[in-house]
Coordinates of all heavy atoms in Angstrom, one line a residue:
M1 N 81.5 111.5 213.6 CA 81.4 111.0 212.3 C 82.2 111.9 211.3 O 82.8 111.3 210.4 CB 80.0 110.9 211.9 CG 79.3 109.8 211.2 SD 79.9 108.3 210.9 CE 78.7 107.3 211.6
A2 N 82.1 113.2 211.4 CA 82.8 114.1 210.5 C 84.3 114.0 210.6 O 85.0 114.3 209.6 CB 82.3 115.5 210.7
D3 N 84.8 113.6 211.8 CA 86.2 113.6 211.9 C 86.8 112.3 211.4 O 88.0 112.2 211.2 CB 86.6 113.6 213.4 CG 86.3 115.0 214.0 OD1 86.2 116.0 213.2 OD2 86.2 115.1 215.2
E4 N 86.0 111.3 211.1 CA 86.5 110.1 210.5 C 87.0 110.3 209.1 O 86.3 111.0 208.3 CB 85.5 109.0 210.6 CG 85.1 108.5 212.0 CD 84.1 107.4 211.9 OE1 84.0 106.7 211.0 OE2 83.4 107.3 212.9
R5 N 88.1 109.7 208.7 CA 88.6 109.8 207.4 C 88.6 108.4 206.8 O 89.0 107.4 207.4 CB 89.9 110.4 207.3 CG 89.9 111.8 207.8 CD 91.2 112.4 207.7 NE 91.2 113.9 208.0 CZ 92.2 114.6 208.2 NH1 93.4 114.1 208.1 NH2 92.1 115.9 208.5
I6 N 88.2 108.2 205.6 CA 88.2 106.9 204.9 C 89.5 106.7 204.3 O 90.0 107.5 203.4 CB 87.0 106.9 203.9 CG1 85.7 107.1 204.6 CG2 87.1 105.5 203.2 CD1 84.5 107.2 203.7
T7 N 90.1 105.6 204.7 CA 91.4 105.2 204.1 C 91.2 104.4 202.8 O 90.4 103.5 202.8 CB 92.2 104.4 205.1 OG1 92.4 105.1 206.3 CG2 93.6 104.0 204.5
T8 N 91.9 104.8 201.8 CA 91.9 104.1 200.5 C 93.1 103.2 200.4 O 94.2 103.6 200.8 CB 91.8 105.1 199.3 OG1 90.8 106.1 199.6 CG2 91.7 104.5 198.0
I9 N 92.9 102.1 199.8 CA 94.1 101.2 199.5 C 94.3 101.2 198.0 O 93.4 101.0 197.2 CB 93.8 99.8 200.0 CG1 93.5 99.9 201.5 CG2 94.9 98.9 199.7 CD1 93.9 98.8 202.4
G10 N 95.5 101.4 197.6 CA 95.9 101.5 196.2 C 97.3 101.1 196.0 O 98.1 100.8 196.9
R11 N 97.7 101.1 194.7 CA 99.1 100.8 194.4 C 99.9 102.0 194.0 O 99.4 102.9 193.3 CB 99.2 99.8 193.2 CG 98.8 98.4 193.5 CD 98.8 97.5 192.3 NE 100.2 97.4 191.8 CZ 100.5 96.8 190.7 NH1 99.6 96.2 190.0 NH2 101.7 96.7 190.3
C12 N 101.1 102.1 194.5 CA 102.0 103.2 194.1 C 102.4 103.0 192.6 O 102.7 101.9 192.2 CB 103.3 103.1 195.0 SG 104.5 104.3 194.5
Y13 N 102.3 104.1 191.9 CA 102.6 104.1 190.5 C 104.0 103.8 190.2 O 104.4 103.2 189.2 CB 102.2 105.4 189.8 CG 102.3 105.4 188.3 CD1 101.4 104.7 187.5 CD2 103.4 106.0 187.7 CE1 101.5 104.6 186.2 CE2 103.6 105.9 186.3 CZ 102.6 105.2 185.6 OH 102.8 105.2 184.2
V14 N 104.9 104.2 191.1 CA 106.3 104.0 190.9 C 106.8 102.6 191.3 O 107.4 101.9 190.5 CB 107.1 105.1 191.7 CG1 108.6 104.9 191.5 CG2 106.7 106.5 191.3
C15 N 106.6 102.2 192.5 CA 107.2 100.9 193.0 C 106.2 99.8 193.0 O 106.5 98.6 193.2 CB 107.7 101.1 194.4 SG 106.5 101.4 195.7
K16 N 104.9 100.1 192.7 CA 103.8 99.1 192.6 C 103.5 98.4 193.9 O 102.8 97.4 193.9 CB 104.2 98.0 191.5 CG 104.6 98.5 190.2 CD 103.5 99.3 189.5 CE 104.0 99.7 188.1 NZ 103.5 101.0 187.7
R17 N 103.9 98.9 195.0 CA 103.5 98.4 196.3 C 102.1 98.9 196.7 O 101.7 100.0 196.4 CB 104.5 98.8 197.4 CG 105.9 98.2 197.3 CD 106.7 98.6 198.4 NE 108.1 98.2 198.2 CZ 109.1 98.7 198.7 NH1 109.0 99.8 199.5 NH2 110.3 98.3 198.4
T18 N 101.4 98.0 197.4 CA 100.1 98.4 197.9 C 100.3 99.2 199.2 O 101.0 98.8 200.1 CB 99.2 97.2 198.1 OG1 99.1 96.5 196.9 CG2 97.8 97.5 198.6
F19 N 99.6 100.3 199.3 CA 99.6 101.1 200.6 C 98.3 101.8 200.8 O 97.5 102.0 199.9 CB 100.8 102.1 200.5 CG 100.6 103.3 199.6 CD1 100.3 104.5 200.1 CD2 100.7 103.1 198.2 CE1 100.1 105.6 199.3 CE2 100.5 104.2 197.4 CZ 100.2 105.4 197.9
G20 N 98.1 102.1 202.1 CA 96.9 102.8 202.5 C 97.1 104.3 202.5 O 98.2 104.8 202.9
F21 N 96.1 105.1 202.1 CA 96.3 106.6 202.1 C 95.0 107.2 202.2 O 93.9 106.6 201.9 CB 97.1 107.0 200.8 CG 96.4 106.6 199.5 CD1 95.5 107.4 198.9 CD2 96.7 105.4 198.9 CE1 94.9 107.0 197.7 CE2 96.1 105.0 197.7 CZ 95.2 105.8 197.1
L22 N 95.0 108.5 202.5 CA 93.8 109.4 202.5 C 93.8 110.1 201.1 O 94.8 110.7 200.7 CB 93.9 110.4 203.6 CG 93.9 109.9 205.0 CD1 94.1 111.0 206.0 CD2 92.6 109.1 205.3
A23 N 92.7 109.9 200.4 CA 92.7 110.4 199.1 C 93.0 111.9 198.9 O 93.6 112.3 197.9 CB 91.3 110.1 198.5
G24 N 92.7 112.7 199.9 CA 93.0 114.1 199.8 C 94.4 114.5 200.2 O 94.8 115.7 199.9
S25 N 95.2 113.6 200.7 CA 96.5 114.0 201.2 C 97.6 113.2 200.6 O 98.8 113.4 201.0 CB 96.5 113.9 202.7 OG 96.4 112.6 203.1
V26 N 97.4 112.4 199.6 CA 98.4 111.6 199.0 C 99.0 112.3 197.9 O 98.3 113.1 197.2 CB 97.9 110.2 198.6 CG1 96.9 110.3 197.4 CG2 99.0 109.3 198.3
M27 N 100.3 112.2 197.6 CA 101.0 112.7 196.5 C 100.6 112.0 195.3 O 100.5 110.7 195.3 CB 102.5 112.6 196.6 CG 103.3 113.1 195.5 SD 103.3 114.9 195.3 CE 104.4 115.3 196.6
T28 N 100.2 112.7 194.2 CA 99.7 112.0 193.0 C 100.5 112.6 191.8 O 101.1 113.7 191.9 CB 98.2 112.2 192.7 OG1 98.0 113.6 192.6 CG2 97.4 111.6 193.8
I29 N 100.5 111.8 190.7 CA 101.1 112.3 189.4 C 100.0 112.0 188.4 O 99.3 111.0 188.4 CB 102.4 111.6 189.1 CG1 103.1 112.1 187.9 CG2 102.2 110.1 189.0 CD1 104.5 111.7 187.7
T30 N 99.9 112.9 187.4 CA 99.0 112.8 186.3 C 99.6 112.0 185.2 O 100.7 112.3 184.8 CB 98.5 114.1 185.8 OG1 98.0 114.9 186.9 CG2 97.5 114.0 184.7
I31 N 99.0 110.9 184.8 CA 99.6 110.0 183.8 C 98.6 109.8 182.7 O 97.4 109.6 182.9 CB 99.9 108.6 184.4 CG1 100.9 108.7 185.5 CG2 100.3 107.6 183.4 CD1 102.3 109.1 185.1
D32 N 99.1 109.8 181.5 CA 98.3 109.5 180.3 C 98.3 107.9 180.1 O 99.4 107.4 179.9 CB 98.9 110.1 179.1 CG 98.1 109.8 177.8 OD1 97.1 109.1 177.8 OD2 98.5 110.4 176.7
P33 N 97.2 107.2 180.3 CA 97.2 105.8 180.2 C 97.6 105.2 178.9 O 98.1 104.1 178.8 CB 95.8 105.4 180.6 CG 95.0 106.6 180.7 CD 95.9 107.7 180.6
E34 N 97.5 106.0 177.8 CA 97.9 105.5 176.5 C 99.4 105.4 176.3 O 99.9 104.5 175.7 CB 97.3 106.4 175.4 CG 97.4 105.9 174.0 CD 96.6 106.8 173.1 OE1 95.3 106.8 173.2 OE2 97.2 107.4 172.3
T35 N 100.1 106.4 176.9 CA 101.6 106.4 176.8 C 102.3 105.9 178.1 O 103.4 105.5 178.0 CB 102.0 107.8 176.5 OG1 101.7 108.7 177.6 CG2 101.4 108.4 175.2
G36 N 101.6 106.0 179.2 CA 102.3 105.7 180.5 C 103.2 106.8 181.0 O 104.0 106.6 181.9
L37 N 103.1 108.0 180.4 CA 103.9 109.1 180.8 C 103.0 110.3 181.2 O 101.8 110.3 180.8 CB 104.8 109.5 179.6 CG 105.8 108.5 179.1 CD1 106.4 109.0 177.7 CD2 106.9 108.3 180.1
P38 N 103.6 111.2 181.9 CA 102.8 112.4 182.1 C 102.4 113.1 180.8 O 103.2 113.1 179.9 CB 103.7 113.3 183.0 CG 104.6 112.4 183.6 CD 104.8 111.3 182.6
P39 N 101.2 113.8 180.7 CA 100.9 114.4 179.5 C 101.9 115.5 179.1 O 102.3 116.3 180.0 CB 99.5 115.1 179.8 CG 99.1 114.6 181.1 CD 100.2 113.9 181.8
G40 N 102.3 115.5 177.9 CA 103.3 116.5 177.4 C 104.7 116.0 177.5 O 105.6 116.6 177.0
M41 N 105.0 114.9 178.1 CA 106.3 114.3 178.2 C 106.5 113.4 177.1 O 105.7 112.5 176.8 CB 106.6 113.6 179.5 CG 108.0 113.1 179.6 SD 108.3 112.3 181.2 CE 109.1 113.7 182.0
T42 N 107.7 113.4 176.4 CA 108.0 112.5 175.3 C 108.9 111.4 175.9 O 109.3 111.4 177.0 CB 108.8 113.3 174.2 OG1 110.1 113.6 174.7 CG2 108.1 114.5 173.7
V43 N 109.1 110.4 175.0 CA 109.9 109.2 175.4 C 111.3 109.6 175.6 O 112.1 108.9 176.2 CB 109.7 108.1 174.4 CG1 108.3 107.5 174.5 CG2 110.1 108.5 173.0
L44 N 111.7 110.8 175.1 CA 113.1 111.3 175.2 C 113.2 112.2 176.4 O 114.3 112.9 176.6 CB 113.6 112.0 173.9 CG 113.6 111.1 172.7 CD1 113.9 112.0 171.5 CD2 114.5 110.0 172.8
A45 N 112.2 112.2 177.3 CA 112.2 113.0 178.5 C 112.2 114.5 178.2 O 112.6 115.3 179.1 CB 113.3 112.6 179.4
S46 N 111.7 114.9 177.1 CA 111.6 116.4 176.8 C 110.1 116.7 177.0 O 109.2 115.8 177.0 CB 112.1 116.7 175.4 OG 111.3 116.0 174.5
F47 N 109.8 117.9 177.1 CA 108.4 118.4 177.3 C 107.9 119.1 176.1 O 108.6 119.8 175.5 CB 108.3 119.2 178.6 CG 108.4 118.5 179.9 CD1 109.6 118.5 180.5 CD2 107.4 117.8 180.4 CE1 109.8 117.8 181.7 CE2 107.5 117.1 181.6 CZ 108.7 117.1 182.2
R48 N 106.6 119.0 175.9 CA 105.9 119.7 174.8 C 104.5 120.0 175.4 O 104.1 119.5 176.4 CB 105.8 118.9 173.5 CG 105.0 117.6 173.7 CD 104.8 116.9 172.4 NE 103.9 115.9 172.5 CZ 104.1 114.6 172.8 NH1 105.4 114.3 173.0 NH2 103.2 113.7 172.9
E49 N 103.8 120.9 174.7 CA 102.4 121.2 175.1 C 101.6 120.0 174.9 O 101.5 119.4 173.8 CB 101.9 122.4 174.2 CG 100.6 122.9 174.7 CD 100.7 123.6 176.0 OE1 101.7 124.2 176.3 OE2 99.6 123.6 176.7
P50 N 100.9 119.5 176.0 CA 100.0 118.3 175.8 C 98.8 118.6 174.9 O 98.3 119.7 175.0 CB 99.6 117.9 177.2 CG 99.8 119.2 178.0 CD 100.9 120.0 177.3
T51 N 98.4 117.6 174.2 CA 97.2 117.7 173.4 C 96.0 117.7 174.3 O 96.0 117.1 175.4 CB 97.1 116.6 172.4 OG1 96.9 115.4 173.1 CG2 98.3 116.6 171.5
P52 N 94.9 118.3 173.9 CA 93.7 118.3 174.7 C 93.2 116.9 175.0 O 92.6 116.6 176.0 CB 92.7 119.1 173.9 CG 93.5 120.0 173.0 CD 94.7 119.2 172.7
E53 N 93.4 116.0 174.0 CA 92.9 114.6 174.2 C 93.7 113.9 175.2 O 93.2 113.2 176.1 CB 93.1 113.8 172.8 CG 92.2 114.3 171.7 CD 92.7 115.5 171.0 OE1 94.0 115.8 171.1 OE2 92.0 116.2 170.3
A54 N 95.1 114.1 175.3 CA 95.9 113.5 176.3 C 95.6 114.0 177.7 O 95.5 113.3 178.6 CB 97.4 113.8 176.0
T55 N 95.3 115.3 177.8 CA 94.9 115.9 179.0 C 93.6 115.3 179.5 O 93.4 115.0 180.7 CB 94.8 117.4 178.9 OG1 96.1 117.9 178.4 CG2 94.5 118.1 180.3
A56 N 92.6 115.1 178.6 CA 91.3 114.7 179.0 C 91.3 113.2 179.4 O 90.6 112.8 180.3 CB 90.3 114.8 177.8
R57 N 92.2 112.4 178.9 CA 92.2 111.0 179.2 C 93.1 110.7 180.4 O 93.2 109.6 180.9 CB 92.5 110.1 178.0 CG 93.9 110.2 177.5 CD 94.2 109.2 176.4 NE 95.5 109.6 175.8 CZ 95.7 110.2 174.6 NH1 94.6 110.4 173.9 NH2 96.9 110.5 174.2
S58 N 93.9 111.7 180.9 CA 94.9 111.5 181.9 C 94.2 111.2 183.3 O 93.1 111.7 183.5 CB 95.8 112.7 182.1 OG 96.5 112.9 180.9
V59 N 94.8 110.4 184.1 CA 94.3 110.1 185.4 C 95.3 110.3 186.5 O 96.5 110.3 186.2 CB 93.8 108.6 185.5 CG1 92.7 108.3 184.6 CG2 95.0 107.7 185.1
E60 N 94.9 110.6 187.7 CA 95.8 110.8 188.8 C 96.2 109.5 189.4 O 95.3 108.6 189.7 CB 95.1 111.7 189.9 CG 94.8 113.1 189.5 CD 96.0 114.0 189.4 OE1 96.9 113.8 190.3 OE2 96.1 114.8 188.5
E61 N 97.5 109.2 189.6 CA 98.0 108.0 190.1 C 98.7 108.3 191.5 O 99.5 109.3 191.5 CB 99.0 107.3 189.2 CG 98.3 106.8 187.9 CD 97.5 105.6 188.0 OE1 97.5 105.0 189.1 OE2 96.7 105.3 187.1
P62 N 98.4 107.5 192.5 CA 99.1 107.8 193.8 C 100.5 107.4 193.9 O 100.9 106.4 193.2 CB 98.2 107.0 194.8 CG 97.7 105.9 194.0 CD 97.5 106.4 192.6
I63 N 101.3 108.1 194.7 CA 102.7 107.8 194.9 C 102.9 107.6 196.4 O 102.4 108.4 197.2 CB 103.6 108.9 194.5 CG1 103.3 109.4 193.0 CG2 105.1 108.6 194.6 CD1 103.6 108.3 192.0
C64 N 103.5 106.5 196.8 CA 103.7 106.2 198.2 C 104.7 107.1 198.9 O 105.6 107.7 198.2 CB 104.1 104.7 198.4 SG 105.7 104.3 198.0
P65 N 104.6 107.3 200.2 CA 105.5 108.2 200.9 C 107.0 107.7 200.8 O 107.9 108.6 200.7 CB 105.1 108.1 202.4 CG 103.7 107.7 202.3 CD 103.5 106.8 201.1
G66 N 107.3 106.4 200.7 CA 108.6 106.0 200.5 C 109.2 106.4 199.2 O 110.4 106.9 199.1
C67 N 108.5 106.4 198.1 CA 108.9 106.9 196.8 C 109.1 108.4 196.8 O 110.0 108.9 196.2 CB 108.0 106.4 195.7 SG 108.1 104.7 195.3
V68 N 108.2 109.1 197.5 CA 108.3 110.6 197.6 C 109.6 110.9 198.3 O 110.4 111.8 197.9 CB 107.1 111.2 198.3 CG1 107.3 112.6 198.6 CG2 105.9 111.0 197.4
D69 N 109.9 110.2 199.4 CA 111.2 110.4 200.2 C 112.4 110.1 199.3 O 113.4 110.9 199.4 CB 111.2 109.6 201.5 CG 110.2 110.1 202.5 OD1 109.8 111.2 202.4 OD2 109.9 109.3 203.4
R70 N 112.4 109.0 198.6 CA 113.5 108.7 197.7 C 113.7 109.8 196.7 O 114.8 110.1 196.3 CB 113.3 107.3 197.1 CG 113.6 106.2 198.0 CD 113.7 104.9 197.3 NE 112.4 104.4 196.9 CZ 111.5 103.8 197.6 NH1 111.7 103.6 198.9 NH2 110.3 103.4 197.1
A71 N 112.6 110.3 196.1 CA 112.7 111.4 195.1 C 113.3 112.6 195.7 O 114.2 113.3 195.1 CB 111.4 111.6 194.5
K72 N 112.9 113.0 196.9 CA 113.5 114.2 197.6 C 115.0 114.0 197.9 O 115.7 114.9 197.7 CB 112.7 114.4 198.9 CG 111.3 115.0 198.6 CD 110.6 115.3 199.9 CE 109.2 115.8 199.7 NZ 108.4 116.0 200.9
R73 N 115.4 112.8 198.4 CA 116.8 112.5 198.6 C 117.6 112.6 197.3 O 118.7 113.1 197.3 CB 117.0 111.2 199.3 CG 116.6 111.2 200.8 CD 117.1 110.0 201.5 NE 116.8 108.8 200.7 CZ 116.0 107.8 201.0 NH1 115.3 107.9 202.1 NH2 115.8 106.7 200.3
F74 N 117.0 112.1 196.3 CA 117.7 112.1 195.0 C 117.9 113.6 194.5 O 119.0 113.9 194.1 CB 117.0 111.3 193.9 CG 117.6 111.4 192.6 CD1 118.7 110.7 192.3 CD2 117.0 112.2 191.6 CE1 119.3 110.7 191.0 CE2 117.6 112.2 190.3 CZ 118.7 111.5 190.0
E75 N 116.8 114.4 194.7 CA 116.9 115.8 194.3 C 118.0 116.5 195.1 O 118.8 117.3 194.5 CB 115.6 116.4 194.4 CG 115.6 117.9 194.0 CD 114.3 118.6 194.3 OE1 113.4 118.1 195.1 OE2 114.0 119.7 193.8
E76 N 118.0 116.2 196.4 CA 119.0 116.9 197.2 C 120.5 116.4 196.9 O 121.4 117.2 196.9 CB 118.8 116.6 198.7 CG 117.5 117.3 199.2 CD 117.1 116.8 200.6 OE1 117.8 116.0 201.2 OE2 116.1 117.3 201.1
S77 N 120.6 115.1 196.5 CA 122.0 114.6 196.2 C 122.4 115.2 194.8 O 123.6 115.3 194.6 CB 122.0 113.1 196.1 OG 121.3 112.7 195.0
M78 N 121.5 115.6 194.0 CA 121.9 116.2 192.7 C 122.3 117.7 192.8 O 122.9 118.2 191.9 CB 120.8 116.1 191.7 CG 120.4 114.6 191.3 SD 121.8 113.7 190.7 CE 122.1 114.5 189.2
R79 N 122.0 118.3 193.9 CA 122.5 119.7 194.1 C 123.9 119.7 194.7 O 124.2 119.2 195.8 CB 121.6 120.4 195.2 CG 120.2 120.8 194.6 CD 119.5 121.6 195.6 NE 118.1 121.1 195.7 CZ 117.4 121.0 196.8 NH1 117.9 121.3 197.9 NH2 116.2 120.6 196.7
P80 N 124.8 120.3 193.9 CA 126.2 120.3 194.4 C 126.3 121.2 195.6 O 125.5 122.2 195.8 CB 127.0 120.8 193.3 CG 126.0 121.6 192.4 CD 124.7 120.9 192.7
P81 N 127.3 120.9 196.5 CA 127.4 121.8 197.7 C 128.0 123.2 197.2 O 128.6 123.3 196.2 CB 128.5 121.1 198.5 CG 129.2 120.2 197.6 CD 128.2 119.8 196.5
A82 N 127.7 124.2 198.0 CA 128.1 125.5 197.7 C 129.7 125.6 197.7 O 130.3 125.0 198.5 CB 127.6 126.5 198.7
P83 N 130.3 126.3 196.7 CA 131.8 126.3 196.7 C 132.3 127.1 198.0 O 131.7 128.0 198.4 CB 132.1 127.1 195.5 CG 130.9 127.8 195.1 CD 129.7 127.0 195.6
R84 N 133.4 126.5 198.5 CA 134.0 127.2 199.7 C 135.3 127.8 199.2 O 136.1 127.1 198.6 CB 134.2 126.1 200.8 CG 132.9 125.6 201.3 CD 133.2 124.6 202.4 NE 134.1 125.1 203.4 CZ 134.4 124.6 204.5 NH1 133.8 123.5 204.9 NH2 135.3 125.1 205.4
F85 N 135.5 129.0 199.6 CA 136.7 129.7 199.2 C 137.6 129.9 200.4 O 137.0 130.4 201.5 CB 136.4 131.0 198.5 CG 135.6 130.9 197.2 CD1 134.3 131.1 197.2 CD2 136.2 130.5 196.1 CE1 133.5 130.9 196.1 CE2 135.5 130.3 194.9 CZ 134.2 130.5 194.9
E86 N 138.8 129.7 200.3 CA 139.7 130.0 201.4 C 139.9 131.5 201.6 O 139.8 132.2 200.6 CB 141.1 129.3 201.2 CG 141.0 127.8 201.2 CD 142.3 127.1 201.1 OE1 143.3 127.8 201.3 OE2 142.3 125.9 200.7
E87 N 140.2 131.8 202.8 CA 140.4 133.3 203.0 C 141.8 133.6 202.5 O 142.8 133.0 202.8 CB 140.4 133.5 204.6 CG 140.3 134.9 204.9 CD 140.1 135.1 206.4 OE1 139.2 134.4 207.0 OE2 141.0 135.8 207.0
W88 N 141.8 134.7 201.7 CA 143.1 135.1 201.1 C 143.7 136.2 202.1 O 143.0 137.1 202.6 CB 142.9 135.7 199.8 CG 142.6 134.7 198.7 CD1 142.3 133.4 198.9 CD2 142.5 134.9 197.3 NE1 142.1 132.8 197.7 CE2 142.2 133.7 196.7 CE3 142.7 136.0 196.5 CZ2 142.0 133.5 195.4 CZ3 142.5 135.9 195.2 CH2 142.2 134.6 194.6
R89 N 145.0 136.1 202.2 CA 145.7 137.1 203.1 C 146.7 137.8 202.2 O 147.4 137.1 201.4 CB 146.3 136.4 204.2 CG 145.3 135.8 205.2 CD 146.0 135.2 206.3 NE 145.1 134.4 207.1 CZ 145.4 133.7 208.1 NH1 146.6 133.5 208.4 NH2 144.4 133.0 208.8
S90 N 146.9 139.1 202.4 CA 147.9 139.8 201.6 C 149.3 139.4 202.1 O 150.3 139.4 201.4 CB 147.7 141.3 201.7 OG 147.7 141.7 203.1
D91 N 149.5 139.1 203.4 CA 150.8 138.8 204.0 C 150.7 137.4 204.7 O 150.1 137.3 205.7 CB 151.3 139.8 204.9 CG 152.7 139.6 205.4 OD1 153.3 138.7 204.9 OD2 153.1 140.3 206.3
P92 N 151.1 136.3 204.0 CA 151.0 135.0 204.6 C 151.7 134.8 205.9 O 151.3 133.9 206.7 CB 151.5 134.0 203.5 CG 152.3 134.8 202.6 CD 151.9 136.3 202.8
D93 N 152.7 135.6 206.2 CA 153.5 135.5 207.5 C 152.8 136.1 208.6 O 153.1 135.9 209.8 CB 154.9 136.0 207.3 CG 155.7 135.3 206.3 OD1 155.4 134.0 206.2 OD2 156.6 135.9 205.6
R94 N 151.9 137.0 208.4 CA 151.2 137.7 209.4 C 149.9 137.0 209.8 O 149.1 136.5 209.1 CB 150.7 139.1 208.8 CG 150.3 140.1 209.9 CD 150.1 141.4 209.2 NE 148.7 141.6 209.2 CZ 148.1 142.6 208.6 NH1 148.8 143.4 207.8 NH2 146.8 142.8 208.6
D95 N 149.8 136.7 211.1 CA 148.6 136.0 211.7 C 147.8 136.9 212.5 O 148.0 137.7 213.3 CB 149.0 134.8 212.4 CG 149.5 133.7 211.5 OD1 148.9 133.6 210.4 OD2 150.4 132.9 211.8

């Protein structure tokens, strides 16, 4: 009985798809229901110190594994590759 885990069914906050998850192991994001944004985030995507009221009314929203994978791939694609430098030789005729 103790090994059984109760699966919760909910909607992904990002893609709105319904998916099953374990409440203790799902990725979540804190959202202020009044603004629809994380507490402290402005509509211009800048951050400020969240008010105590915004923090108090914020709720945890689940994110599905597909959206988490897409976010990770996006983050990796935004990292430019390390610059590669050719080997310099003092005498190009010498091999």
Side-chain angles (χ1 to χ4, degrees):
M1 220 13 125
D3 292 341
E4 291 181 28
R5 295 184 175 167
I6 299 173
T7 302
T8 305
I9 301 212
R11 283 179 66 184
C12 174
Y13 185 76
V14 178
C15 68
K16 309 300 185 216
R17 291 185 188 154
T18 302
F19 72 107
F21 58 91
L22 298 174
S25 63
V26 69
M27 176 74 73
T28 60
I29 185 169
T30 306
I31 298 293
D32 179 359
E34 191 172 291
T35 62
L37 299 170
M41 180 178 263
T42 67
V43 293
L44 299 175
S46 61
F47 288 98
R48 64 173 190 268
E49 188 67 31
T51 63
E53 294 84 17
T55 305
R57 69 176 169 252
S58 297
V59 294
E60 294 286 322
E61 296 288 346
I63 308 294
C64 72
C67 289
V68 172
D69 290 340
R70 282 190 291 278
K72 286 179 182 176
R73 285 194 314 249
F74 177 75
E75 181 184 17
E76 289 170 4
S77 72
M78 295 304 292
R79 285 189 225 139
R84 293 181 50 171
F85 298 102
E86 293 182 17
E87 192 176 308
W88 288 9
R89 297 182 186 169
S90 58
D91 185 8
D93 295 331
R94 195 171 107 190
D95 286 325

